[in-house]
Amino acid sequence: MAVIVHGGAGAPSLYADGCVRAAHAAIAAMRDGDALDGAIAAVVTMEDDGRFNAGSGSVLGLDGVTVEMDAAVMDTRGRLGAVACLQAIRNPVRVARAVADTPHWLLAGDGARRFAAQVSLQQPHVISDHARRRHQQHRERMAKSSPALPGVDNEAFSKYWNYPMPQGGDTVGAVTRDAQGHFAVAGSTGGTTPALLGRVGDTPIIGSGFYAGPHGAVAATGIGEQIVRHLLAHTVYSWIAEGMPLKKALSRAIDYFPEEVDIGLIAVSRTEAGSKSNRDMPTDYLEHE
């Protein structure tokens, strides 16, 4: 069994203790379950941590109230589920797992919230103190002239703003390989700020933020608008499936992006596991027979 987790490209390395707890939770879950159980256990641990941009640590919209979260799961047993723009739910990744049991693969917005209630996953979302402090810091930064996102004029958000009133984003993720050789991936994010209401990034988009197949599993983190243009997770998976060494595949993918764009990747294959980012990115890798 093996798991590698990340806490987001650009997140401080000192958050690595949260990744360690997540990795141990994954191994424990796989002892009695499978790769997907492990990946979900890791992500739930990080959603509940309060420091990562997922679950209770999700970034607030600039109105100081709105939180829209995305999550996704996929494994090599045919399970695929995702949610987008989900509000008021503690663990979006659990809802994404429940979606995998429906005739659909992706639910969004109020429909996703109602579905969560129907399957008894409506535990209320709690905003951590860390997320509130981060929100205040970003409000102060937005008041200055420096771009809030790389290459984006802050005026663009003022022009199209769709909140009642006028932080790049990161993600948490896990990839796993279980004792039977199956692979799984799970990811969760609170999105990005500044962002228009209803914005969806790469995290719930298959092949962009996540992918799992018979040769391995890959999860991406960073600026979603850049990641989706390369179908990054599937691109890396394809290279691994073709026989490229895993670490070379990760490095090649990072080189697609200019230095000012935050990007990170984790991946696991039949014989390897690794991570790569052009920023600090807390991670942990754990292997167990």
Side-chain angles (χ1 to χ4, degrees), residues 85-141:
C85 295
L86 179 63
Q87 296 187 24
I89 299 298
R90 177 174 174 173
N91 294 119
V93 74
R94 293 193 188 276
V95 185
R97 170 63 185 90
V99 171
D101 291 331
T102 75
H104 309 302
W105 79 275
L106 172 64
L107 294 178
D110 190 55
R113 183 188 61 79
R114 293 187 185 195
F115 171 76
Q118 186 171 354
V119 295
S120 300
L121 291 172
Q122 73 272 36
Q123 291 90 343
H125 178 257
V126 177
I127 299 171
S128 70
D129 291 340
H130 178 84
R132 293 190 185 280
R133 288 193 298 270
R134 183 166 51 183
H135 168 72
Q136 182 57 38
Q137 292 166 359
H138 189 71
R139 287 292 297 264
E140 294 169 358
R141 187 165 68 249

Side-chain angles (χ1 to χ4, degrees), residues 15-66:
Y15 294 177
D17 61 319
C19 294
V20 171
R21 286 193 293 273
H24 280 276
I27 292 295
M30 284 193 286
R31 288 195 183 102
D32 297 321
D34 60 18
L36 187 57
D37 294 321
I40 292 170
V43 170
V44 166
T45 300
M46 291 187 282
E47 286 179 334
D48 290 342
D49 184 285
R51 295 173 295 172
F52 301 106
N53 180 19
S56 64
S58 295
V59 295
L60 282 75
L62 289 183
D63 60 355
V65 177
T66 305

Side-chain angles (χ1 to χ4, degrees), residues 61-62 66 68 85 149 155-163 192-200 225:
L62 289 183
T66 305
E68 292 189 316
C85 295
L149 288 176
E155 291 289 329
F157 291 100
S158 299
K159 181 178 180 182
Y160 296 110
W161 201 251
N162 58 352
Y163 280 100
T192 185
T193 62
L196 301 179
L197 189 65
R199 178 263 185 189
V200 177
E225 283 75 7

Side-chain angles (χ1 to χ4, degrees), residues 20 54 74 77 108-109 142 144 154 160 166 168 196 215 245 258 281:
V20 171
M74 184 179 185
R77 298 179 187 269
M142 279 287 288
K144 300 176 182 179
N154 291 346
Y160 296 110
L196 301 179
H215 299 281
M281 184 175 74

Side-chain angles (χ1 to χ4, degrees), residues 73-275:
V73 303
M74 184 179 185
D75 74 355
T76 49
R77 298 179 187 269
R79 293 173 291 192
L80 170 65
V83 292
C85 295
L86 179 63
Q87 296 187 24
I89 299 298
R90 177 174 174 173
N91 294 119
V93 74
R94 293 193 188 276
V95 185
R97 170 63 185 90
V99 171
D101 291 331
T102 75
H104 309 302
W105 79 275
L106 172 64
L107 294 178
D110 190 55
R113 183 188 61 79
R114 293 187 185 195
F115 171 76
Q118 186 171 354
V119 295
S120 300
L121 291 172
Q122 73 272 36
Q123 291 90 343
H125 178 257
V126 177
I127 299 171
S128 70
D129 291 340
H130 178 84
R132 293 190 185 280
R133 288 193 298 270
R134 183 166 51 183
H135 168 72
Q136 182 57 38
Q137 292 166 359
H138 189 71
R139 287 292 297 264
E140 294 169 358
R141 187 165 68 249
M142 279 287 288
K144 300 176 182 179
S145 58
S146 58
L149 288 176
V152 177
D153 188 336
N154 291 346
E155 291 289 329
F157 291 100
S158 299
K159 181 178 180 182
Y160 296 110
W161 201 251
N162 58 352
Y163 280 100
M165 60 172 288
Q167 259 152 255
D170 46 38
T171 318
V172 302
V175 292
T176 53
R177 182 183 67 241
D178 65 22
Q180 289 72 46
H182 284 281
F183 297 99
V185 57
S188 183
T189 183
T192 185
T193 62
L196 301 179
L197 189 65
R199 178 263 185 189
V200 177
D202 66 289
T203 300
I205 306 302
I206 184 172
S208 293
F210 69 99
Y211 195 80
H215 299 281
V218 182
T221 174
I223 297 179
E225 283 75 7
Q226 299 289 332
I227 290 171
V228 296
R229 285 170 165 78
H230 296 282
L231 283 176
L232 191 61
H234 187 267
T235 296
V236 172
Y237 172 82
S238 296
W239 292 337
I240 294 170
E242 291 166 0
M244 184 181 293
L246 185 145
K247 291 183 178 180
K248 181 178 179 180
L250 298 180
S251 294
R252 181 180 177 185
I254 296 298
D255 289 342
Y256 271 171
F257 301 91
E259 179 60 30
E260 65 268 20
V261 175
D262 295 2
I263 294 291
L265 288 157
I266 57 173
V268 62
S269 69
R270 292 169 181 163
T271 58
E272 299 177 275
S275 64

